[in-house]
Structure formats: structure tokens, C-alpha cells
């Protein structure tokens, strides 16, 4: 049964190996991409089969869990990976015969992200985190340009430092409890007063380590640099897939292992403060960006701040998982919205040959579809109805209010107002300013497909958010007790 | 046997030295070496806690082995990227690698 529950990850790994092997015989961009997508599809089918076929349970003596929470994130990560692979179609051409490596690394990164949502033991969490991070370091440095190398180096150095910090925290959690399994830690902490010095030190350092993956203040320095320097599809993956995995593992660790009286109040307050800092620094930093990828980098820091509001509220009332389901709903809505924005940027910048926002002047006249989708996604990121982003913000701020953190919700709403300035500024450039030239911008159908799906998803969940909210609440119910 | 708290103080100092190196060194390779110092502190902690709790289970030791292995992979990758940066700009100093800023 262990191997069956490990199936989705196995499918991705097999596909990654096949992509590299087949490339030796048939070095074609299309073959690599098709095999990669096939692997993602196989993993998705397997995940759904586990979900609908009663495959929930644990594998490898409780190290890996298959529950509603891990299934929710597995579907999300696989959808994001498939969309990013499709959106890489144009960028793959510029990679000079290394398409297979690109696809394979993407699949391995997805394997790690999938594992992160399900693992239930500190050792396995560390391995899964590195499994998803190391391929992303390589991908960030993939395009052999000066900028890309610099992005890779910065991402790797910050990543190595943060994993050392994370491990130091894990060592103290292990020291305080004598076990590495998350339920074991919870059990040992609640057996006597859990708020020992070792446990507090462990908690803070572990939060710092995950903070890097979630891209929150004060571990946000790498975000704008890496998003700007890395190949754009990789930035898209980092901003959505990697962030989702970071929040998945943080929710699992803090709500399973560290939800002990006293300690829980400590980390809820800590995350509330970090939420305010992330939202404010992200939004203020984005105000004077001239590069669209950098702007989206700062925006992703601010959005991580919004997500942290949910994490802070997650433990406010015992037995209530409104905060946790808020994070899940927000992550899913954000995935559609941000992917839509990034894919539109991929398509536009590829033809314009520039990431400067000024180059987007008059994009409305040159490609109505891309301009409308990008504008719509930016409106959703601001949180204006009728978009998924609106409901996500409403839901997560509601969780803060219900958790007795009204001030946090107020600051969140004020920050949304600041963010409107730069999100709508880009919309203004695309629609109000005259284009530099009239030549139409073409869109290849392979890139167009994920773009349309993301935009339609953002609109559909903006009009009918019910099903997605129900799924998020169902998944978060894992943590109710 | 050395008492646990002495080992923890030792590893704390080691970790702090690593953090100091990370913050002050300008050469990317020296930063990597400082990270290794931090990881050594982590491993010392794991081994000390492992011996303190239940030596028969060896959980701490197993964790330390995983840390060493993964760190080796990370350093290999880091050196490859630093080598490429050095070829592109003939420097490995992080404050001169600054095309991307603000």
C-alpha cells in the first residue's frame, strides 16, 4: 500500500528519467514537453484515483500522509506544473538543446513540492524541501545569461542559509521532544508544559526556514532579484508552485506539531507581525518598479503577507480551522490569478523583447487578448470583484476578524488600496498610452491554452466561489480537533 | 561524558560564527564555507540530542547523515554556478554581482 500511496511522486520521477533518456535518441522539444506533460497527467490521474478510490491513509510507517490536505495541494501543484510546462513552449526554443533537462528538473521540483504537502516527519520534510529547492536553483540559473546566473547564485545562497537555519530549529524541536514525527512532537509537547526554551527556539528557527520558501519578510530579499533574473516560466513556477508548497508544509508543521497552548499564541502573534511587514514592504517596494517581473516579485511578497494573515488566524479559536481553509482557498485563487498574469507576461515579453513596463504601452491595440487577460488578473490580485482574488481576500480577512485580529484585517484592506496603485498603473499603461508600433503580437496556441484556463478559472471562481471554498474547508478539516 | 548543555553552548557559538561569516564575507565561496559552519553546528546538535535521548534509536545520527549528504549536493551545485559567474565577470564577490537590484 505504501508504494501505491507514493504513486504520484513515482510517476513524476519515472517521467523525469524517461524525458532525459528519450532525449538521447530523439532530441526534440515537442517530445520532451509531451513526455513531461504525460508524466504530470499520470500523476494527476493517480492522485484523483487515491482521492476518489479511498486511498487515504499513511505510507512508510506514517512518514507520508495521503489525506484531504495533501490531495488538495497535490492537485494544485500538478495543475501549476502542467501550466508552466505548456507556457515554457516559446522559452524552450532559446535553451539550445537543453529542453529535456529543463522539463526533467521541473518534474523533480514538482515531486518535491508534492512530497512537502504530505510528509509528516522532520527528516522527510527536510529531504522534500531540498528535493524541490535544488532543481529550482538550477532552473533559475538555466539561461546562461549574466542575469540568470546572478539569480541562480542569489537564490542558492539564500536557500542554503535558510536551510541551515531551518535545520538548527529542527534540531531543537527534536531535542525538546526526542522524536522527529510531527504527531510525536505534538504529543511530547502537550504531555507537560510545551513552552520550553528549546521548543520556542526551535519554533522560531523553523518558521524562519519556511519563511524563505514562502517568500515573506524578513526573508524576501531574494524574491525580486530572482524573479527578474530567472527565465520567466521559472519565475512563474517559483511564485505559485514553490510558494504553495511552502505554505502547505508550514501549515502542516505548525498546526500538527506546534499547536500547543502558549506556543500557539506565540507563533500566531509572530505571523501576524510578519504578515503586516510582508504586506507593507511588498506593496511599497512595488510602487516604483519599472520592470514587470520585479513588480510581480514585490507583489508576490505582499500576497504572501495576505496568506500569513490566514496562518496567524489559524489557531485563534480551538477547533476552528477558518484561517487554515482561508490559506488553502487563497493559495488556489492566487495560483489561477498569478499564473494568468505571468503567462501573459511570458507571451508579451517574448514578442516585445523587453520586461520594461513602458514597453507594454498600447499593448491593448497590439494584442487585445493578452492585454485583457493581464489586466483582469491584475484586478484580481488587487482584490476587486468579480474575481477569485476578491473572495480570497474577503475570506482570509474574515478569518482574521473572527479570530479577534480586527487590526490585522484593517491593515490588510489598507494595503490592498496601496496595491491598487501599481496594479492598475500597469493596466493604465496598456490601455491608455499609445503603442510604439502597431504590429500585432501573435500568441502560440500552446501558450494560449494555459493562459485561457487561468483567466477562465479566475473569472469562474470569482462568480461562483462556492465549490473551491468547500474543497478548501474540506481539506483544512484535517487539522480540526 | 560531556554534559548536554556544554555541547549546546559549543554548537551555539559555532552557529553564531557561521552567521557572522555569512553576513560579513563578500566572497561567495567564503559565504558557502560559513554556511558549512552553520551546518556543522546543526549536526553537533543532532548528535548530542540523539545521544541524550535514546542512543539505541540513532534518529539524531540518521538526521546528521542526511544533512551531510544534502549539503554536499548543494555545495557542488553552488560551486558550478560560482564558476560560471567567475567566467562571465571574473569575480566571485557577491557585492560585485549586482546587475539585479532595487
Amino acid at each position: 500500500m505504501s508504494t501505491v500511496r507514493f504513486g504520484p511522486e513515482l510517476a513524476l520521477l519515472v517521467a523525469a528519467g524517461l524525458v532525459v533518456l528519450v532525449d538521447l535518441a530523439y532530441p526534440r522539444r515537442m517530445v520532451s514537453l509531451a513526455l513531461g506533460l504525460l508524466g504530470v497527467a499520470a500523476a494527476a490521474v493517480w492522485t484523483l484515483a487515491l482521492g476518489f478510490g479511498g486511498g487515504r491513509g499513511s505510507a512508510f510507517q506514517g512518514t507520508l500522509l495521503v489525506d484531504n490536505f495533501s490531495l488538495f495541494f497535490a492537485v494544485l501543484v500538478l495543475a501549476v506544473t502542467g501550466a508552466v510546462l505548456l507556457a515554457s513552449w516559446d522559452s524552450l526554443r532559446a535553451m539550445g538543446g537543453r529542453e529535456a533537462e529543463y522539463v526533467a528538473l521541473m518534474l523533480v521540483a514538482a515531486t518535491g513540492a508534492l512530497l512537502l504537502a504530505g510528509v509528516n516527519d522532520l527528516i522527510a520534510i527536510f529531504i522534500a524541501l531540498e528535493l524541490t529547492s535544488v532543481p529550482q536553483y538550477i532552473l533559475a540559473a538555466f539561461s546562461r545569461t549574466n542575469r540568470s546566473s546572478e539569480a541562480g547564485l542569489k537564490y542558492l545562497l539564500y536557500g542554503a542559509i535558510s536551510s541551515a537555519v531551518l535545520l538548527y530549529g529542527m534540531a531543537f524541536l527534536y531535542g525538546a521532544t526526542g522524536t522527529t514525527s510531527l504527531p510525536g512532537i505534538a504529543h511530547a509537547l502537550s504531555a507537560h508544559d510545551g513552552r520550553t526554551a528549546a521548543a520556542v527556539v526551535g519554533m522560531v528557527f523553523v518558521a524562519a526556514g519556511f519563511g524563505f520558501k514562502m517568500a515573506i519578510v524578513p526573508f524576501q530579499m531574494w524574491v525580486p532579484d530572482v524573479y527578474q533574473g530567472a527565465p520567466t516560466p521559472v519565475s512563474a513556477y517559483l511564485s505559485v508552485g514553490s510558494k504553495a508548497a511552502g505554505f502547505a508544509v508550514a501549515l502542516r508543521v505548525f498546526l500538527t506539531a506546534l499547536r500547543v497552548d502558549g506556543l500557539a499564541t506565540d507563533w500566531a502573534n509572530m505571523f501576524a507581525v510578519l504578515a503586516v511587514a510582508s504586506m507593507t514592504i511588498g506593496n511599497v517596494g512595488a510602487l516604483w518598479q519599472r520592470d514587470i517581473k520585479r513588480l510581480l516579485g514585490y507583489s508576490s511578497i505582499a500576497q504572501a503577507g495576505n496568506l500569513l494573515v490566514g496562518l496567524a488566524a489559524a489557531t485563534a479559536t480551538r477547533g476552528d480551522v477558518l484561517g487554515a481553509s482561508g490559506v488553502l482557498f487563497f493559495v488556489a485563487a492566487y495560483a489561477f490569478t498569478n499564473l494568468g498574469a505571468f503567462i501573459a507576461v511570458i507571451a508579451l515579453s517574448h514578442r516585445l523583447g523587453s520586461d520594461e513596463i513602458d514597453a507594454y504601452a498600447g499593448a491593448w491595440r497590439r494584442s487585445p487578448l493578452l492585454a485583457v487577460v493581464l489586466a483582469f488578473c491584475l484586478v484580481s490580485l488587487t482584490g476587486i470583484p468579480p474575481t477569485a482574488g476578491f473572495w480570497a481576500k474577503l475570506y482570509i480577512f474574515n478569518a482574521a476578524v473572527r479570530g479577534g485580529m480586527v487590526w490585522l484585517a484593517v491593515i490588510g484592506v489598507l494595503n490592498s488600496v496601496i496595491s491598487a496603485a501599481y496594479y492598475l498603473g500597469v493596466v493604465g499603461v496598456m490601455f491608455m498610452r499609445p503603442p510604439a508600433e502597431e504590429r500585432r503580437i501573435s500568441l502560440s496556441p500552446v501558450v494560449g491554452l494555459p493562459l485561457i484556463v487561468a483567466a477562465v478559472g479566475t473569472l469562474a471562481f470569482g462568480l461562483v466561489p462556492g465549490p473551491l471554498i468547500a474543497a478548501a474547508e474540506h481539506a483544512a478539516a484535517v487539522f480540526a480537533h | 561524558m560531556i554534559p548536554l548543555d556544554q555541547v549546546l553552548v559549543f554548537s551555539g557559538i559555532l552557529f553564531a560564527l557561521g552567521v557572522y561569516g555569512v553576513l560579513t564575507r563578500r566572497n561567495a565561496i567564503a559565504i558557502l564555507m560559513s554556511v558549512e559552519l552553520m551546518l556543522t553546528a546543526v549536526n553537533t546538535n543532532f548528535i548530542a540530542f540523539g545521544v541524550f535521548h535514546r542512543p539505541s534509536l540513532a534518529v539524531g545520527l540518521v538526521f546528521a547523515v542526511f544533512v551531510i549528504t544534502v549539503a554536499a549536493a548543494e555545495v557542488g551545485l553552488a560551486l558550478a554556478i560560482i564558476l560560471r559567474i567567475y567566467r562571465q565577470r571574473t569575480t566571485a564577490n557577491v557585492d560585485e554581482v549586482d546587475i539585479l537590484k532595487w
Side-chain angles (χ1 to χ4, degrees), chain A residues 123 127 130 138 141 144 146 149-150 153-154 156 161 164 167-168 171-172 174-175 178 180 225 228 289 294, chain B residues 12 15 22 42 45-46 49-50 53 59-60 63 66 70 74 77-78 82 84 88-89 97-102:
Chain A
I123 302 183
I127 300 295
E130 293 298 322
I138 309 176
R144 282 194 184 143
N146 258 334
S149 308
E150 181 172 334
L153 179 69
K154 284 183 175 167
L156 190 145
I161 295 162
L167 284 167
Y168 199 67
F172 273 99
Y174 166 63
T180 54
D225 288 358
Q228 187 188 358
Q289 294 310 320
R294 249 185 124 68
Chain B
F15 191 80
V22 163
V42 167
N45 264 356
F46 271 123
F49 281 132
H53 279 301
V59 176
F63 211 141
F66 274 111
V70 173
E74 237 174 30
L77 177 60
I82 292 171
R84 190 163 86 187
Q88 283 171 344
R89 322 182 186 186
V97 182
D98 60 353
I99 305 176
L100 308 168
K101 60 180 174 187
W102 306 116

Side-chain angles (χ1 to χ4, degrees), chain A residues 45 91 101 118 174 189 205 235 265 270 274 300 309 440 455 462 467:
Chain A
V45 168
S91 322
E101 287 86 339
Y174 166 63
L189 286 178
F205 277 70
S235 309
T265 325
M270 181 179 72
L274 292 180
S300 116
V309 171
R440 301 276 298 191

Side-chain angles (χ1 to χ4, degrees), chain A residues 225-455:
Chain A
D225 288 358
V226 173
Y227 283 20
Q228 187 188 358
T232 316
V234 175
S235 309
Y237 185 77
L238 290 181
S239 79
V240 182
S242 174
K243 194 188 289 277
F247 272 95
V249 70
L251 274 175
R252 171 88 71 189
V253 168
F254 282 93
L255 289 182
T256 310
L258 301 174
R259 197 184 196 172
V260 189
D261 289 329
L263 205 57
T265 325
D266 285 347
W267 61 255
N269 289 333
M270 181 179 72
F271 283 133
V273 172
L274 292 180
V276 172
S278 300
M279 286 190 284
T280 313
I281 291 180
N283 281 326
V284 172
L287 283 176
W288 38 76
Q289 294 310 320
R290 304 309 317 150
D291 184 295
I292 186 84
K293 282 161 79 181
R294 249 185 124 68
L295 181 131
L296 286 173
Y298 277 103
S299 132
S300 116
I301 298 170
Q303 301 291 347
N306 286 324
L307 281 159
L308 273 187
V309 171
L311 198 51
T315 182
T317 43
R318 225 179 158 74
D320 188 359
V321 288
L322 201 60
S325 56
V327 173
L328 294 179
F329 177 48
F330 199 110
V331 163
Y334 174 76
F336 278 105
T337 308
N338 217 40
L339 266 186
F342 256 108
I343 295 172
V345 166
I346 291 171
L348 278 170
S349 294
H350 185 69
R351 304 292 172 191
L352 295 170
S354 165
D355 291 327
E356 294 286 314
I357 293 172
D358 288 332
Y360 283 42
W364 154 248
R365 300 258 292 279
R366 302 185 59 187
S367 174
L369 174 68
L370 286 173
V372 166
V373 168
L374 182 53
F376 183 67
C377 290
L378 292 176
V379 165
S380 176
L381 285 172
T382 319
I384 300 171
T387 57
F390 165 72
W391 293 107
K393 279 197 178 167
L394 188 69
Y395 193 98
I396 216 160
F397 292 152
N398 176 43
V401 172
R402 290 265 293 274
M405 295 177 168
V406 181
W407 61 276
L408 193 56
V410 171
I411 295 179
V413 173
L414 286 179
N415 259 293
S416 298
V417 176
I418 303 179
S419 73
Y422 61 86
Y423 286 134
L424 301 183
V426 177
V427 178
V429 169
M430 288 193 301
F431 284 81
M432 306 296 189
R433 285 221 230 136
E437 54 175 323
E438 289 289 339
R439 201 157 43 84
R440 301 276 298 191
I441 297 170
S442 59
L443 173 70
S444 75
V446 186
V447 182
L449 176 70
L451 181 81
I452 299 296
V453 170

Side-chain angles (χ1 to χ4, degrees), chain A residues 4-349:
Chain A
V4 174
R5 293 196 176 114
F6 188 56
E9 288 87 350
L10 218 52
L12 287 178
L13 283 179
V14 169
L18 272 182
V19 167
V20 175
L21 280 181
V22 169
D23 181 62
L24 294 174
Y26 306 101
R28 299 273 180 285
R29 171 168 68 137
M30 181 117 82
V31 176
S32 300
L33 195 65
L35 271 175
L37 287 171
L38 211 61
V40 172
V45 168
W46 205 321
T47 306
L48 292 176
L50 284 175
F52 290 109
R56 291 178 184 75
S58 68
F60 307 116
Q61 282 97 40
T63 307
L64 182 69
L65 292 183
V66 176
D67 53 16
N68 286 334
F69 181 76
S70 75
L71 289 170
F72 182 91
F73 271 103
V75 171
L76 190 70
V77 166
L78 289 170
V80 169
T81 310
V84 171
L85 279 178
L86 280 173
S88 310
W89 176 248
D90 285 327
S91 322
L92 278 176
R93 200 193 316 243
M95 289 180 184
R98 295 179 298 150
E99 300 93 343
E101 287 86 339
Y102 178 90
V103 173
L105 286 169
M106 211 55 133
L107 293 177
V108 176
T111 312
L114 230 57
L115 278 173
L116 264 184
V119 286
N120 203 25
D121 183 287
L122 291 184
I123 302 183
I125 288 174
F126 169 62
I127 300 295
L129 196 72
E130 293 298 322
L131 188 62
T132 181
S133 295
V134 171
Q136 284 167 15
Y137 301 150
I138 309 176
L139 286 170
F142 208 76
S143 49
R144 282 194 184 143
T145 57
N146 258 334
R147 287 184 166 204
S148 181
S149 308
E150 181 172 334
L153 179 69
K154 284 183 175 167
Y155 192 27
L156 190 145
L157 283 182
Y158 281 122
I161 295 162
S162 81
S163 39
V165 172
L166 174 74
L167 284 167
Y168 199 67
M170 284 181 169
F172 273 99
L173 283 185
Y174 166 63
T177 58
T179 172
T180 54
S181 97
L182 297 185
I185 291 172
H187 185 72
L189 286 178
S190 57
H192 43 89
D193 176 29
R195 206 179 166 199
T196 55
V200 173
V201 170
M203 181 269 285
V204 171
F205 277 70
V206 166
F210 292 148
F212 164 78
K213 268 261 146 284
M214 300 188 280
I216 59 172
V217 172
F219 313 101
Q220 90 292 5
M221 293 84 82
W222 59 275
V223 178
D225 288 358
V226 173
Y227 283 20
Q228 187 188 358
T232 316
V234 175
S235 309
Y237 185 77
L238 290 181
S239 79
V240 182
S242 174
K243 194 188 289 277
F247 272 95
V249 70
L251 274 175
R252 171 88 71 189
V253 168
F254 282 93
L255 289 182
T256 310
L258 301 174
R259 197 184 196 172
V260 189
D261 289 329
L263 205 57
T265 325
D266 285 347
W267 61 255
N269 289 333
M270 181 179 72
F271 283 133
V273 172
L274 292 180
V276 172
S278 300
M279 286 190 284
T280 313
I281 291 180
N283 281 326
V284 172
L287 283 176
W288 38 76
Q289 294 310 320
R290 304 309 317 150
D291 184 295
I292 186 84
K293 282 161 79 181
R294 249 185 124 68
L295 181 131
L296 286 173
Y298 277 103
S299 132
S300 116
I301 298 170
Q303 301 291 347
N306 286 324
L307 281 159
L308 273 187
V309 171
L311 198 51
T315 182
T317 43
R318 225 179 158 74
D320 188 359
V321 288
L322 201 60
S325 56
V327 173
L328 294 179
F329 177 48
F330 199 110
V331 163
Y334 174 76
F336 278 105
T337 308
N338 217 40
L339 266 186
F342 256 108
I343 295 172
V345 166
I346 291 171
L348 278 170
S349 294

